[in-house]
Amino acid sequence: MGKPTGFQEFNRELPGKTAPDARVKNYNEFVGLYTADKLNEQSARCMNCGIPFCHSGCPLGNIIPEFNDAVYRKNWVEAYEILSSTNNFPEFTGRICPAPCESACVLGINKPPVAIEEIEKHIIEIAYEKNLVKPVAPLIKTGKRVAVVGSGPAGLAAAAQLSKAGHIVTVYERDDKPGGLLRYGIPDFKLEKWVIDRRIQVLEADGVEFICNTEIGKHIAAEELVRAYDAVVMAGGSTIPRDLPIPGRQFKGVHFAMDFLKQQNKRVGNSPVTTEDIWATDKDVVVIGGGDTGSDCVGTSNRHGAKSILQFEFMPQPPTSRTAAMPWPSYPMVLKTTSSHEEGCQRHFGINTKEFLGDEEGNLRALKVTDVSWETDFLGRPTKFAEIEGSEREIPCQRVFLAMGFLNPQYNGMLEALGVELDERKNVKAKEGVYRTNISKVFACGDMRRGQSLVVWAISEGREAARKVDEFLTGHTLLESKDAVNFYEQAF
Amino acid sequence: MDLTDCPQQGLYRPEFEHDSCGTGFITNINGHKSNQIVRDALTILENMEHRGACGCDPDSGDGAGILIQLPHEFLMEECSNLEMSLPEAGDYGVGMIFFPKDSVLKKACRNIISSAAEKLGLHILGYRKVPVDNTVIGETARQAEPDAEQLFILRPHSISTAEAFERKLFVLRRYINKTVLETVAQAGEHFYFTSLSSKTIIYKGQLTTYQLRQYYIDLADPRVASGFAMIHSRFSTNTFPSWKLAQPFRLIAHNGEINTLTGNLNWFYAGVKSLASSYFTSEEMEMLLPVIDNNQSDSACLDNIIEVLLHSGRSLPHVMMMLVPEAWDGNEHMDPIKKAFYEYHATIMEPWDGPAAISFTDGRLVGALLDRNGLRPLRYVVTNDNRVIAASEAGVLTIDESTVISKGRLQPGKMLLIDTVQGKIIKDEEIKQQIASQQPYGRWLDNYQIRMEELAEPRLAFASLSADSVFRYQQVFGYSREDIEVIIKPMAVDGKEPIGSMGTDVPLAVLSDKPQHLSSYFKQFFAQVTNPPIDPIRERLVMSLATFIGNNGNLLDEDKMHCHCVKLKHPILNNHEVEKLRSIDTGLFHAKTLQTYFKADGQPGSLEKGIARLCRYAEDAVEDGFEVLILSDRAIDSEHAPIPSLLAVSAVHHHLIKKGSRGSVGLVVEAGDAWEVHHFAALLAFGASAINPYLALSTIENLKVSGDLETDLPTDKLFYNYVKSICDGLLKIFSKMGISTLQSYHGSQVFEILGLNKAVVDKYFCGAVTRIEGLGLDEIAREALGKHSMGFNHSKGETRLLQEGGIYQWKRRGEQHLFNPQTVHLLQHATRTNDFAVYKNYAKLVNEQTEKHFTIRGLLDFTHHREAISIEEVEPVESIMKRFATGAMSFGSISHEAHSTLAIAMNRIGGKSNTGEGGEDEMRYERMENGDSMRSAIKQIASARFGVTSNYLTNADELQIKMAQGAKPGEGGQLPGHKVDEWIAKTRHSTPGVGLISPPPHHDIYSIEDLAQLIFDLKNANRAARINVKLVSKAGVGTIAAGVAKAHADVILIAGYDGGTGASPISSIKHAGLPWELGLAEAHQTLVRNKLRSRVVLQADGQMKTGRDLVIAALMGAEEWGVATAALVAGGCIMMRKCHLNTCPVGVATQDPELRKLFSGKPEHIVNLFRFLAEDMREIMAELGFRTIQEMVGRVQFLRVRDNIQSWKAKKVDLSGILHPVTNQKGLTLYNSESQDHGMAEIIDWKLLEAAQQALADKTPVFATFDVKNIDRTIGTLLSNEISKKYGSVGLPDNTINFKFKGSAGQSFGAFAAKGISFELEGEANDYVGKGLSGAQLAIYPAANSTFTPENNIIIGNVAMYGATSGELFARGMAGERFAVRNSGATAVVEGVGDHGCEYMTGGRALILGKTGRNFAAGMSGGLAWIYDEDHTFAENCNPEMVDLDPLSTKDEEHILTLLKKHANLTQSEVAKKLLSTWDAAKLNFVKVFPKEYKRVLQEKEYQAVSK
């Protein structure tokens, strides 16, 4: 452990951010870096707990106390090795993870938790800077060929791991560049795209082949793919957005969040925009959905120069601190103010959108909404709602972004062609820990299997699935798992 | 005797038994024979009845006996009545024989005797049936009663000297014994020679001391005369009938225990091949073998070895010096001639180590000696009528004080010898000087001994490992990142063994699916009750790591070449040293390296073949004359995996023992798999002479080179630190078993093996205990190959990290833990929201060990023998909760908030919380406003006795004597000064800021009879409280428990090794002690078999987490249970395992005021936990059909082994020993149903109480006088209890109760005596005077008619003023060893003290007006001592580590003068008077012993006062 009394001496501090009014002028990341001393202090706050709940709370099983200690000792090689032993892409999670590790941090019981996510980001950035991030694939290949469909975090993680195990890996991406939601779902001000490009280069140096602009089931028949490879890993994500089928949905100006965000991301990345332009400039914007995608729409709208921005959430305003229903170390559903909120937006909770109202030209002009009240159970969890009588009113607006999450993966195309079995939620059916679908040689991971989730979960799924693929191909595997595996089974 | 009842059954093993006792002798210095001597000896014996014991049957003792000279006149007359005519005294020998009662067997034995005598050319004169009265003996003894007969053998004319005749009789006896064992096996058990000698005879048996003279009619005969008599009273841990284990043996009577017996025996057998003596023909030599009999007690073995050494030409004192040497290594002040004697003999014989007071005689010389630690008392008096009386206690024989010339005690390592022919007492120095000068030992050493420093540079050397190879070797040998981070780094950087907290909750090695080090299957033994652990730090002077590598030679002769071997200061070799050894060539002395690998082909039998080859090569190398074998595992490659070094060395060791040639070589191990202390300890205990941990050293070097160590220390210094911490750790491991030297630890096998099968153990670890079976050789190979393949598997991508480990910290990919993120979270959630359903989820995670096994209980399942019942029929939660206790956690280790929350919760449910060893603030005795109470029902009495006062003991429902704790059995503890704040200091009666040390042993418990005494003391201190003795599970804990039950404990707690909340060395947490399942089952089985179970409550604890755990414990025999960690977790603990750092972030285990504020636990959370546990139990009980707990206790039939065990390792475990059902005898129960007889009815204190009525009632001063004897023990304690009950800690005004005593007071005079008491004792006192003194004043002076000089004689025994907190003692005369040990507030004046004076003292004042022994002030952190150092020798005797020696200040002078005046006034001390009259000159000879830490704190205070 770095410093036994570090947590008593230092408070949690985060790196400085560019002021909101300055940062909305561009799409650049605005979170700075720690000074060397600050980084050292922050890592010293880690208590190296007997039970590191952070390490348990992290979907990847990042061995947080160990890398904190290495950072404290400024041993960057060790820090990088420990971090990369569980996480292929700390540069992504270090930027955009909601950090369930920090929610589980023991220090968080009665003090602000260790700044784990920032430390993680610093480790990987320093590792790149010191040229520690190098290809790891063995020279002698197994001769097995694996196709990975989808280049989001799950697909990339699976590809990276399989390549590390000595297999020949090809990644198919239907968009023009690899990265999936990382590239086109997350705005640059949270994750600049050179970060992805840098990683893709490492993977390519490792021997992973990327084939973009190619949709399986459309450009290449799914059956053909399965025939041509020794194994196929499907990591196409959960791409069907949840709609809001209320009157007036057809008015112009009502968009899915992802259409809006993707287009802007392409603009920033100098990729051609092939869809109809969606601008929030000088508009009254309403974002429906209180999650991270909603926040991204808020941030992007501000950068467009929207006139006003409202964010709606159907559920009531969450408490500001943990309640009995969400005890430490679980991930607490508390009111979260994101950096996009800081940049300007009004938030409404317990509000229900009844109807989109348009003008005669078919353009959206307002929303009809009512307030809802919630009953709660003994632990304060909302259970039942009712509209508040007389609260119905109109909210003028010209742009609505629907950010209410994703339902399931796209079925038609690849999944349909192969006859992949789905579960009751219409995700690909493959047991966690096993990842095999009903089709021989075909594995699934990430949101496509799990349903919409976090990037960190996608990476985790990709890694764990790769182990199973490796085992499938060669009979055993030495790829790391996040959980304990029977040593003796592994060794023989 | 019912033979089927005796041998091993269930978990019991006969070899676990222990005994200890009272011993002594009386002799006429001139050897004048009289019947008086015999009668007096029997009286002495009877006065030590309380040092012996009896079991379930009060009339069957554990054994008593007497050794006297042959009563020639008596025998002649008796024999002539039988028409047998005896020749002159000395011309015949007498054998005292126990024959089997069965006439056929008896006849067979007689035939053997006849033919053996004939073979040796001896003529049998006849037999005499020894008349006995067996109506006086108990039922148990009668069942096994033998036929005692005397055999008379004529001395042949060919044998001219008495010695030669004795020798011949010795051969005869050995030969008869051997032949009987070989040919009449059934008689073997019952056929026994108590003695066969022309000089002495022994009468003994399974008798109480009083029965001895009644049973043997001879002893009452006035014609029986002897010049001396040696006696012994036995306290055994069992009650199985055994007549032959009574003592004395032929040459000795032993009070003590040989801790290193297995090793001593092995070393003896190791050299059997080279045994030869000019005193025996080779045919006779053959007849003598095996010299030491199997299946007998340690004392009997010791007697056997003494015999053979004596009869091969050494004198008896010489033999005793060889076997029980003084602490010579490192003693700068020892005479070089004597030191050379010891060093020379160390090269041929290791000490038979353990606490020992041994009386011995060869028929002419009579003597006694004490082991180097002096852990058994021996007092003696010399009278002007030429008698010497020596015994475990003073006052055992009433003597006219005016005849006393001197009163003394035997000092550690010293000998008392009387030559009855020369008619003189020979002083220790004189006899030793004489023996040490017999040969030019010093010159032999100079000429022949090889010292490492003097060895030539190596001829060639292995290149050191490259960084890549180090990583690969680390993988192959199973290093984890944690091993490097947690173990190796701190050792190299700080030179200290790392500390951990909160016990261990990982799977047993045999249940884990993580790669294990072979030594993880080996659990360290530790001393408990029957012998004490030692303090390796504060009593370093008795410890030694010196060792010798080479040929041991023939034990039976003295040859200068015996010492031609390499001497090492310690057994850890660095790379350079091992190379020097490899290259050694003295012309006579060479080394051979053998590779320890096996073929890594995964085939069955490969490992076995590898070992067989290794053993073969080793044997050849010995034949070829190599003196050193180096077993090396460096030469591994992808095809060859290392044999675990422990297996390799033990296999070779035992192979060579079997060949009788182990003694000819040293075994050096060059091991990649030795890095933590436990590994080294196991290697040494199984035969390694020295170890080179090359990989650990390379690992350190790599860390240094790669800049991973936060230190500027150079590599050499890091190596030095690492080796030093190994050495310190080894001393700690030895000492926890009560072993002082590496030589006696070497090969001692003091481990229980947990998880290897019997075939492996019997073949490669012969003689070690293994009780649950487990891995065979192929499975061991599989484990080794698993690791091997990690290092040599190239087909997959490179890993750059070692395995996580995860033993000391939960890690996802590491070892599994019972307390993990899920279980901690669920338990806290359940108890905070009072949600039983959530608790059930928690319990399910803990209980379901179908896939992942953790514990023995995890392998078990319930089996149904009854109809399930409705839960309403089961006894209610409320009554079950009364059986719960929390663990002992001290205020000091945990915060006041956490401590009192636990207490309130337990008081609410009627359970019991435990103070731990830190005392308790008296404010907690008052009920709180809301009706709650913070008073802990259990008051613990631990070795440091912090805050243990009469009032503390009075305010308890239960008094717990902590003999050991699970996390670190056999070790002491330390509370660093920074944790000792005002409050803690007040509660512990110490100084804020001054560190506190808990000694490893209780200094008043060195043996089972001592424990009985402490139990008696505590019963006196609070007769309403139950006395609880806390033991830690280990092999043999059953027999210890039986002993403890016989010592009258009311409750016995068996703690698992895995529990524990405090800070401990991590190797102790993990590697010492056993799971409670084994200990509890063994204890229950043994108690039932001994018919003692119904007398005691049996309690168990150790990682108990769910109702299922508790039900299983109940079925195995526990009717009460302790839950500590789970209770803490319910109170907010999140298993930080940082208790030792004071940084607990949730305010549980910290004294930091800021952090304490963060404590968020509530009593109701803990109440909820216990409700859940009880409810959970009820559900299981209903299912099993039990209505009450009582019905369920001990019904192990309701358990079975799970049938779905998948793990390849767990499948091999055999739990039948644990599940062995025992049935109770008629009228007895499997649970506690009767109370102990504490023998309180007859005590003197009732009279005192009577006389003190007025004082108690209204503080009126009272005066009275009483006569006392040594059997009047614990005087004033019960009276003090009455004072405390009424007046609390304030007590009575000084000098309210003024009692005078005359005579020899028994042990514990004035123990826990409260304020207001003033005792005077004219005479003398035994051990433990003023123990726990709580305000009283004691004055002790010799009898008025005595003529000896008091200041030169002993007046009080050992361990006086132990743990005293206030009050005063004035003793006119000298005190024994360990005077004022752990004094924390009382004032004492004496006129001389023995070794280890004022040890661990933290407060109070000691004024010593005479000489002190060695090691004064060791561990003394507070208080002051003033020594009158007339001849300026004190500095030599003082341990300067923690104290300064300063001149007196004015304040000191005033204080001393006041004390001198009082001393002179109360005791008429001439010394005090003289000092007072010559004060100005005398004061210059005073030395002030001022603890450094205490001085610092005082100076800081002064500074603060001034600056204010």
Side-chain angles (χ1 to χ4, degrees), chain A residues 25-29 188-189 192 264 268 300 303-304:
Chain A
K25 297 202 167 73
N26 59 49
Y27 290 89
N28 301 340
E29 287 183 18
D188 275 62
F189 55 82
E192 291 184 3
Q264 184 52 42
V268 177
T300 304
R303 280 161 181 74
H304 277 194

Side-chain angles (χ1 to χ4, degrees), chain A residues 199-220:
Chain A
R199 177 56 72 175
I200 300 294
Q201 278 165 22
V202 175
L203 290 174
E204 282 177 339
D206 227 350
V208 178
E209 186 187 7
F210 288 90
I211 300 178
C212 296
N213 295 313
T214 306
E215 184 170 349
I216 305 302
K218 189 163 155 193
H219 303 105
I220 296 176

Side-chain angles (χ1 to χ4, degrees), chain A residues 48 50 55 66 75 481 488, chain B residues 708 783 809 811 813 1138:
Chain A
N48 191 27
H55 168 50
E66 286 194 35
N75 186 331
S481 166
Y488 299 97
Chain B
D708 264 348
E783 206 144 64
Q809 181 182 35
K811 291 274 176 73
R813 295 194 290 215
K1138 298 281 181 290

Side-chain angles (χ1 to χ4, degrees), chain B residues 204-420:
Chain B
K204 67 181 185 180
Q206 193 183 16
L207 305 164
T208 67
T209 57
Y210 293 103
Q211 289 165 359
L212 185 66
R213 74 166 108 202
Q214 299 166 330
Y215 180 76
Y216 287 111
I217 314 268
D218 288 0
L219 292 178
D221 194 301
R223 291 170 297 168
V224 172
S226 178
F228 64 83
M230 190 160 91
I231 48 93
H232 190 276
S233 151
R234 179 168 185 252
F235 188 137
S236 154
T237 49
N238 68 58
T239 55
F240 302 136
S242 179
W243 282 64
K244 64 181 188 181
L245 291 182
Q247 297 198 37
F249 295 109
R250 294 96 192 178
L251 298 168
I252 59 165
H254 175 214
N255 172 13
E257 176 150 331
I258 306 297
N259 300 328
T260 53
L261 187 69
T262 309
N264 295 129
L265 296 180
N266 276 336
W267 287 119
F268 179 75
Y269 298 131
V272 157
K273 204 176 178 180
S274 52
L275 283 187
S277 169
S278 55
Y279 292 99
F280 299 110
T281 65
S282 56
E283 193 191 2
E284 283 176 335
M285 200 72 232
E286 197 55 40
M287 289 177 172
L288 289 176
L289 292 178
V291 180
I292 301 172
D293 291 326
N294 283 329
N295 297 326
Q296 54 177 8
S297 67
D298 51 353
S299 309
C301 294
L302 180 63
D303 187 62
N304 286 160
I305 186 92
I306 293 171
E307 278 185 307
V308 73
L309 292 173
L310 175 75
H311 290 305
S312 54
R314 293 182 175 96
S315 69
L316 189 53
H318 183 160
V319 173
M320 299 314 295
M321 283 173 75
M322 266 177 88
L323 295 170
V324 191
E326 285 177 78
W328 57 272
D329 183 35
N331 183 348
E332 304 302 330
H333 305 297
M334 187 179 275
D335 171 23
I337 294 175
K338 186 159 80 169
K339 199 165 173 176
F341 169 89
Y342 283 127
E343 182 164 358
Y344 167 80
H345 284 87
T347 65
I348 50 176
M349 171 63 87
E350 69 294 338
W352 287 54
D353 204 3
I358 302 173
S359 306
F360 56 83
T361 180
D362 60 1
R364 166 182 172 170
L365 302 172
V366 184
L369 96 167
L370 225 54
D371 67 283
R372 59 175 62 204
N373 284 297
L375 296 174
R376 292 285 193 272
L378 206 92
R379 300 274 292 265
Y380 64 84
V381 288
V382 182
T383 62
N384 62 13
D385 55 1
N386 281 329
R387 286 185 301 162
V388 177
I389 300 152
S392 301
E393 290 185 15
V396 287
L397 189 65
T398 310
I399 298 167
D400 177 357
E401 290 286 332
S402 66
T403 67
V404 173
I405 295 174
S406 67
K407 291 187 173 189
R409 83 211 186 277
L410 217 46
Q411 287 165 276
K414 302 291 183 210
M415 194 184 288
L416 168 68
L417 194 68
I418 297 107
D419 183 332
T420 57

Side-chain angles (χ1 to χ4, degrees), chain B residues 1464-1491:
Chain B
N1465 191 20
L1466 285 169
T1467 70
Q1468 303 308 314
S1469 165
E1470 290 298 332
V1471 180
K1473 287 178 192 164
K1474 195 176 140 215
L1475 288 172
L1476 284 168
S1477 64
T1478 60
W1479 179 242
D1480 283 337
K1483 72 181 185 188
L1484 301 174
N1485 287 333
F1486 272 91
V1487 178
K1488 175 187 188 181
V1489 181
F1490 204 163

Side-chain angles (χ1 to χ4, degrees), chain B residues 77-137:
Chain B
E77 288 175 31
E78 286 293 310
C79 285
S80 70
N81 294 343
L82 298 170
E83 289 171 4
M84 179 187 351
S85 89
L86 293 182
E88 287 299 297
D91 286 347
Y92 65 98
V94 181
M96 178 88 172
I97 307 175
F98 289 162
F99 278 112
K101 285 237 185 248
D102 181 299
S103 60
V104 179
L105 292 177
K106 188 169 172 179
K107 186 139 186 284
C109 294
R110 281 205 183 199
N111 288 341
I112 289 168
I113 292 171
S114 302
S115 55
E118 198 174 324
K119 190 163 176 183
L120 282 161
L122 293 169
H123 175 64
I124 293 176
L125 292 166
Y127 288 90
R128 168 176 177 254
K129 193 163 172 52
V130 179
V132 297
D133 174 4
N134 73 0
T135 60
V136 299
I137 65 174

